[in-house]
């Protein structure tokens, strides 16, 4: 009986570790280079990201990340997470596109609509890397859920 209990306990621990999200910070996400890419639909060139190995390894994985909450539209349906508060400007003081993440909330979730701009929060979700679409940010957190409001 004891052997079965230990086996079940060990299996549960392994499963929990396997599905747990990995905590990611903005320093890790800074591992990116830029490639000028032509988009015929806009008749323009845009700098598109080429991700480093550490970032590529996170693609499609469940992560958690902390940052400053930024609503993007007045309807409250588009959100971003920034390494810096919006009053400091996303791209001031040398910050780049790698310091902002597009947030797509989990279906049916309304919790992010209640968060105040520039609150420091923690989110979890699935990280999508965008190397091809000029209409989206380079980092997209899909199925995002609010873990906590930190301050």
């Amino acid at each position: 009986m004891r052997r079965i209990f230990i086996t079940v306990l060990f299996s549960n621990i392994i499963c929990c570790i396997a599905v747990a999200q990995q905590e990611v910070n903005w320093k890790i996400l800074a591992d990116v280079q830029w490639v000028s890419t032509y988009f015929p639909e806009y008749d323009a060139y845009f700098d598109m990201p080429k991700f480093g190995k550490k970032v590529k390894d996170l693609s499609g994985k469940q992560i958690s990340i902390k940052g400053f909450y930024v609503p993007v539209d007045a309807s409250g349906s588009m959100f971003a997470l920034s390494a810096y508060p919006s009053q400091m400007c996303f791209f001031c003081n040398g910050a780049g596109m790698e310091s902002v993440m597009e947030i797509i909330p989990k279906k049916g979730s309304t919790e992010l609509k209640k968060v105040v701009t520039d609150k420091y929060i923690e989110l979890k979700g699935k990280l999508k890397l965008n190397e091809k679409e000029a209409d989206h940010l380079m980092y997209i957190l899909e199925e995002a859920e609010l873990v906590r409001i930190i301050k």
Side-chain angles (χ1 to χ4, degrees):
M1 183 69 169
R2 184 176 176 170
R3 181 179 286 182
I4 292 172
F5 175 75
I6 291 172
T7 303
V8 170
L9 179 64
F10 183 72
S11 297
N12 284 338
I13 291 170
I14 296 298
C15 288
C16 289
I17 291 169
V19 298
Q21 69 268 2
Q22 179 177 349
E23 187 169 335
V24 173
N25 63 47
W26 295 101
K27 188 175 181 179
I28 292 170
L29 297 178
D31 183 16
V32 64
Q33 295 180 351
W34 301 99
V35 178
S36 185
T37 306
Y38 179 72
F39 286 85
E41 61 269 31
Y42 300 109
D43 191 28
Y45 285 87
F46 294 99
D47 285 338
M48 295 304 290
K50 182 177 180 191
F51 300 107
K53 180 174 176 6
K54 287 181 182 178
V55 176
K56 280 186 178 180
D57 289 346
L58 295 170
S59 181
K61 297 219 169 99
Q62 290 290 322
I63 68 161
S64 69
I65 187 162
K66 297 172 185 152
F68 294 91
Y69 173 78
V70 182
V72 177
D73 68 347
S75 72
S77 61
M78 293 180 66
F79 312 99
L81 191 69
S82 173
Y84 306 100
S86 65
Q87 71 237 26
M88 290 180 61
C89 165
F90 294 135
F91 310 116
C92 297
N93 301 319
M97 290 298 294
E98 68 279 359
S99 69
V100 183
M101 181 178 292
E102 185 174 333
I103 305 302
I104 300 173
K106 190 172 187 174
K107 190 172 182 135
S109 174
T110 59
E111 58 196 3
L112 286 172
K113 291 182 181 186
K114 300 171 189 169
V115 178
V116 177
T117 301
D118 277 343
K119 283 291 186 184
Y120 192 65
I121 63 173
E122 181 177 1
L123 297 175
K124 68 178 181 177
K126 185 172 72 172
L127 182 65
K128 177 181 176 184
L129 304 180
N130 174 27
E131 293 179 296
K132 300 187 191 264
E133 297 177 52
D135 303 14
H136 291 276
L137 294 176
M138 59 193 271
Y139 295 119
I140 302 169
L141 190 64
E142 298 176 323
E143 302 172 20
E145 295 179 79
L146 180 65
V147 174
R148 65 188 168 128
I149 297 174
I150 299 167
K151 60 179 177 173

